[in-house]
Amino acid sequence: MITFFVCLALLIVGFLTYSKLVERIFRIDDRPTPAVAHPDGVDYVPMKPWRIFLVQLLNIAGLGPIYGALSGACWGPSVYLWIVFGTILGGGVHDFLSGMMSERNDGKSISEVVGLYMGKVITFIMRVFSVVLLVMVGVNFSVGPAALLAKLTPEALSTMFWLVAIMVYYLIATFLPIDKIIGKLYPIFGICLIVMALGIGGATVLLRGSDMPELTLASLAAVHPNSLPKWAMMFVTVACGAISGFHATQSPMMARCITSEKQGRGIFYGAMVAEGVIALIWAAAGVTFYTNHGSLLDGMSGLTTAIAAGGAGDVVYEISTTLLGPVGGVLAMIGVIACPITSGDTAYRSARLTIADWFHIDQSRTGPRAALSVPLLAVGALIALALPWDVLWRYFSWANQTLAMIVLWTGAVFLHKYGFPPKACLIAALPATFMSAVSVTYFFQAPECLGLSTAVAYPVGLVVAALFLAVFVWRVLVVGKDDVTALTAAAK
């Protein structure tokens, strides 16, 4: 229990201190934001900061901080460290930079922002990568909630029924102006999500506090019951609970709604820390619930078996109803269901905006919005019916962390290009290096990728990450600011 509260305190202190350092390095000012400069009533819509925060939280907090954290807890309480330090040093920085870089560039989609600083080739890669990832997110965040809704409703309302209903809702939410559904309903769902997390966290502490494992050398050395390597499998599995490239596709939507740059730290960095708290609660609940007065290894094994048998959705249902009772469990499940649905619809919306920015399609008119929204949802529906959820989640997780790596490197280049000293660039360059090692290692070792041994994957991941950092340092310290700007312009 002590470890849990220490980690919770670290997340709060990290936001109060490190986020202010990041904000100071970025040098926010009083320039007019895109929402103030040219509101269009569809995507560029000024909203109140508290409302934008709750929308941002719902946008980014899909299944990742719940399903990903539960899966990560199969490695034991060592997952706490990744959630805490990944959130403060990586995820918060990533979300703040992606949102503010977009705001500084008229609310452009992240693929276009990356292209401005990394060249034409990366622009094309990012456009395709972003759209594919966003559709995969939309698919993942429709199949999971549909299965959970089927558990809470009569048998006649099957998973397929709810999947169709969710996809219809996605079409409506993707198509309509952002303040009609998203701006009105999401703050309510955001409050439900927070209450749900507090309920699960409080019940875990009060009812199972004696079973909550502590972070010791033995628990750090604990091995996954299926012998999956901690590096880099755990770091990818947790996904959105620590750092997520998907967030970079969502932040530009809120960058089009903020009315002052001073709101950026609380909205972008703050929402990521809130998601880290949610992930910490679910990771603690998962590893504690199955320990049940036994050993830590028994708890890890029980959680792994439960996920393998019925999926993370069944685990969420079992934990919620057992800890909170039938009524409280249903309320918690509603929060879990609303969470991914409200990320799925904004994923499709972000995909629409990415394509619109790519081909310069005006989205203030009804016809062009429909022309992009309908095909995107149709493709998502076909994928949802064709591929199993566990395969989709693994591919999403890797693509997610790879996108985070690219965005962090873009943030480092952005800071350098605008005259920030090399030390300041390290707030993005160091987590970018770490995520490069994670993504490359996972690609070489994961069964769904190359499936090579750790003897090959580990050194390759570390060498590639070191190479990326060396190239960046060379361009910063050797080539110089003026030449880097010229090289960037030439690459375009």
Side-chain angles (χ1 to χ4, degrees):
M1 189 186 306
I2 295 175
T3 300
F4 172 76
F5 282 110
V6 168
C7 289
L8 186 61
L10 286 173
L11 283 170
I12 296 171
V13 172
F15 171 72
L16 295 176
T17 56
Y18 196 70
S19 68
K20 288 185 178 180
L21 172 64
V22 173
E23 181 186 55
R24 185 164 62 249
I25 288 174
F26 192 84
R27 299 174 190 166
I28 62 171
D29 54 39
D30 58 356
R31 72 184 65 195
T33 64
V36 173
H38 52 82
D40 66 355
V42 178
D43 296 307
Y44 293 84
V45 180
M47 290 195 292
K48 294 180 179 179
W50 66 268
R51 191 179 295 273
I52 298 175
F53 169 82
L54 289 172
V55 172
Q56 174 73 1
L57 177 60
L58 264 292
N59 284 354
I60 65 175
L63 292 173
I66 302 171
Y67 284 18
L70 285 171
S71 298
C74 293
W75 279 275
S78 58
V79 73
Y80 296 173
L81 294 179
W82 172 229
I83 291 172
V84 171
F85 294 106
T87 295
I88 297 300
L89 302 177
V93 175
H94 169 277
D95 288 15
F96 177 81
L97 288 177
S98 60
M100 298 308 293
M101 286 192 298
S102 174
E103 184 272 335
R104 289 280 176 94
N105 289 280
D106 199 35
K108 291 184 182 296
S109 300
I110 194 61
S111 57
E112 304 305 307
V113 172
V114 170
L116 290 173
Y117 304 104
M118 304 294 275
K120 286 185 176 179
V121 174
I122 299 298
T123 302
F124 178 78
I125 293 173
M126 276 295 296
R127 284 166 173 169
V128 174
F129 204 80
S130 296
V131 172
V132 171
L133 174 64
L134 287 164
V135 172
M136 293 292 283
V137 169
V139 171
N140 272 295
F141 292 177
S142 56
V143 175
L148 291 176
L149 282 167
K151 289 182 176 293
L152 299 177
T153 53
E155 291 185 8
L157 303 180
S158 63
T159 299
M160 181 59 65
F161 169 85
W162 286 113
L163 179 60
V164 172
I166 290 171
M167 297 301 283
V168 170
Y169 162 76
Y170 281 175
L171 177 61
I172 297 171
T174 302
F175 180 76
L176 291 178
I178 195 165
D179 60 335
K180 300 305 180 185
I181 292 182
I182 294 174
K184 286 185 171 61
L185 293 181
Y186 277 33
I188 299 173
F189 289 143
I191 294 172
C192 291
L193 174 63
I194 294 171
V195 171
M196 173 271 294
L198 292 176
I200 293 295
T204 301
V205 170
L206 294 175
L207 301 179
R208 299 289 182 88
S210 60
D211 289 330
M212 295 184 77
E214 303 295 349
L215 196 58
T216 62
L217 291 177
S219 65
L220 279 173
V223 179
H224 191 284
N226 293 336
S227 299
L228 297 177
K230 189 171 297 183
W231 176 265
M233 298 288 284
M234 184 185 75
F235 297 85
V236 171
T237 300
V238 174
C240 306
I243 182 172
S244 168
F246 168 64
H247 297 184
T249 68
Q250 303 300 289
S251 294
M253 285 191 291
M254 294 301 98
R256 302 181 186 204
C257 298
I258 63 175
T259 56
S260 170
E261 285 199 344
K262 294 179 181 179
Q263 299 167 3
R265 182 176 74 93
I267 290 171
F268 299 120
Y269 206 115
M272 179 62 239
V273 172
E275 183 174 19
V277 171
I278 294 171
L280 179 66
I281 288 173
W282 276 103
V287 73
T288 301
F289 184 84
Y290 290 95
T291 299
N292 198 21
H293 303 296
S295 68
L296 171 62
L297 294 179
D298 289 340
M300 293 165 58
S301 179
L303 175 59
T304 305
T305 301
I307 292 176
D314 278 3
V315 172
V316 170
Y317 182 79
E318 184 178 7
I319 292 176
S320 299
T321 53
T322 302
L323 293 181
L324 301 178
V327 176
V330 169
L331 292 177
M333 290 293 289
I334 290 173
V336 173
I337 291 166
C339 190
I341 289 178
T342 51
S343 291
D345 60 5
T346 51
Y348 282 114
R349 187 183 191 90
S350 184
R352 169 176 68 79
L353 293 173
T354 299
I355 296 173
D357 287 350
W358 183 352
F359 295 102
H360 307 289
I361 302 172
D362 181 14
Q363 293 296 282
S364 63
R365 295 184 294 117
T366 302
R369 291 208 308 275
L372 294 181
S373 300
V374 174
L376 279 171
L377 269 296
V379 170
L382 290 175
I383 295 175
L385 295 174
L387 294 177
W389 185 87
D390 57 339
V391 174
L392 289 170
W393 181 260
R394 290 198 299 269
Y395 281 117
F396 155 70
S397 296
W398 175 78
N400 192 34
Q401 305 303 59
T402 302
L403 181 59
M405 171 196 76
I406 296 172
V407 172
L408 282 168
W409 281 121
T410 303
V413 172
F414 170 89
L415 292 173
H416 175 55
K417 181 177 179 181
Y418 281 93
F420 295 91
K423 287 183 180 179
C425 301
L426 291 178
I427 65 165
L430 291 181
T433 303
F434 184 86
M435 293 310 300
S436 298
V438 168
S439 297
V440 174
T441 301
Y442 185 88
F443 181 78
F444 275 82
Q445 74 180 176
E448 62 271 15
C449 297
L450 297 184
L452 300 178
S453 68
T454 56
V456 175
Y458 285 3
V460 169
L462 293 175
V463 168
V464 171
L467 179 63
F468 285 174
L469 179 61
V471 170
F472 176 76
V473 170
W474 174 76
R475 296 183 74 177
V476 170
L477 299 180
V478 180
V479 176
K481 177 179 181 296
D482 294 335
D483 289 338
V484 169
T485 303
L487 286 171
T488 303
K492 296 178 184 178

